[in-house]
Amino acid sequence: SQQGEEDPQALSIQEGENATMNCSYKTSINNLQWYRQNSGRGLVHLILIRSNEREKHSGRLRVTLDTSKKSSSLLITASRAADTASYFCATDPYSGGGADGLTFGKGTHLIIQP
Amino acid sequence: IAGITQAPTSQILAAGRRMTLRCTQDMRHNAMYWYRQDLGLGLRLIHYSNTAGTTGKGEVPDGYSVSRANTDDFPLTLASAVPSQTSVYFCASSAKFSGGAYNEQFFGPGTRLTVL
């Protein structure tokens, strides 16, 4: 079953605008990660936020984490055409040292209109 | 080699045939994974390996087997392919923290498999 669920499923904005995607999850986590996938390619890691962090920045990316609401958001500022891709959140569920790997959501497809 | 490579890039396979998807990484990561990606379903974990010599089942392991004879290679085998195994398969690796938490995963380019 999917741990993370992204919202919205699809998002289309104008170049230069900000894009916000949300992720909700169900169980306690060690960390939450965001990935980008360009059409037909493998996933690329964007940013990792640990369960004891609330906000993290990387270039034009800003990620927030609210463990009380079990939710995260990814903000891309000043969007560019090259940001067109699918974005996935992935959770590392806390399992006492168990080794189940990351659980991915279904993704948000972002289209940046020139 | 830089990162993770997968082979073949794509394959069309008759149902009932045996197929092995290859995955090799040169980053000396201890953990490796196989996912399948289907439209509308995101990525689902098939099998994983935390270290050479050990493997584990993910969310959708039925019909698949893996082995981890060494750190670098993590082949995925379909013993008798069925049409429902038509998918894009991604291999990934990561450096797993000693405390159990997972670090970022690095993905291969994928193998597009069609089972007829």
Side-chain angles (χ1 to χ4, degrees):
Chain A
S1 60
Q2 304 294 131
Q3 163 77 313
E5 292 289 342
E6 291 89 345
D7 171 58
Q9 292 184 343
L11 179 62
S12 180
I13 62 173
Q14 294 295 315
E15 193 167 18
E17 294 180 340
N18 296 340
T20 299
M21 288 159 273
N22 302 297
C23 171
S24 60
Y25 58 93
K26 298 176 182 176
T27 63
S28 297
I29 59 173
N30 289 312
N31 64 63
L32 185 145
Q33 305 178 30
W34 284 91
Y35 288 79
R36 183 186 73 219
Q37 183 181 33
N38 291 91
S39 180
R41 309 287 291 274
L43 278 73
V44 175
H45 182 266
L46 295 176
I47 196 164
L48 180 155
I49 186 165
R50 304 191 193 288
S51 60
N52 61 353
E53 297 176 313
R54 291 297 168 258
E55 187 171 311
K56 203 161 184 180
H57 297 256
S58 177
R60 294 184 296 112
L61 304 180
R62 172 178 171 258
V63 169
T64 63
L65 179 65
D66 187 335
T67 53
S68 67
K69 296 181 179 179
K70 291 186 170 58
S71 67
S72 174
S73 68
L74 171 67
L75 169 67
I76 303 174
T77 61
S79 64
R80 306 167 180 168
D83 295 328
T84 294
S86 291
Y87 292 82
F88 295 87
C89 71
T91 51
D92 173 18
Y94 178 74
S95 56
D100 291 335
L102 299 179
T103 303
F104 286 82
K106 297 179 182 179
T108 291
H109 186 51
L110 175 65
I111 297 174
I112 307 300
Q113 305 280 3
Chain B
I1 298 177
I4 298 184
T5 59
Q6 292 184 235
T9 302
S10 65
Q11 182 75 45
I12 298 174
L13 189 66
R17 296 296 295 270
R18 180 184 179 88
M19 176 74 189
T20 295
L21 308 185
R22 300 185 298 279
C23 174
T24 300
Q25 55 106 356
D26 65 354
M27 296 174 283
R28 308 303 293 173
H29 284 163
N30 50 357
M32 296 187 74
Y33 320 86
W34 275 104
Y35 297 91
R36 59 177 290 172
Q37 185 176 32
D38 302 288
L39 192 64
L41 294 178
L43 275 81
R44 293 181 292 169
L45 182 66
I46 303 172
H47 285 286
Y48 64 90
S49 169
N50 278 343
T51 188
T54 68
T55 63
K57 295 181 179 180
E59 182 185 355
V60 289
D62 293 343
Y64 306 94
S65 64
V66 292
S67 61
R68 187 86 183 279
N70 57 63
T71 298
D72 299 343
D73 301 300
F74 192 42
L76 176 73
T77 297
L78 290 68
S80 179
V82 295
S84 62
Q85 292 178 310
T86 294
S87 187
V88 181
Y89 291 85
F90 288 100
C91 180
S93 72
S94 70
K96 185 174 180 293
F97 294 136
S98 60
Y102 284 87
N103 207 343
E104 64 178 289
Q105 294 193 4
F106 294 81
F107 282 79
T111 292
R112 185 173 297 273
L113 181 67
T114 302
V115 182
L116 301 177

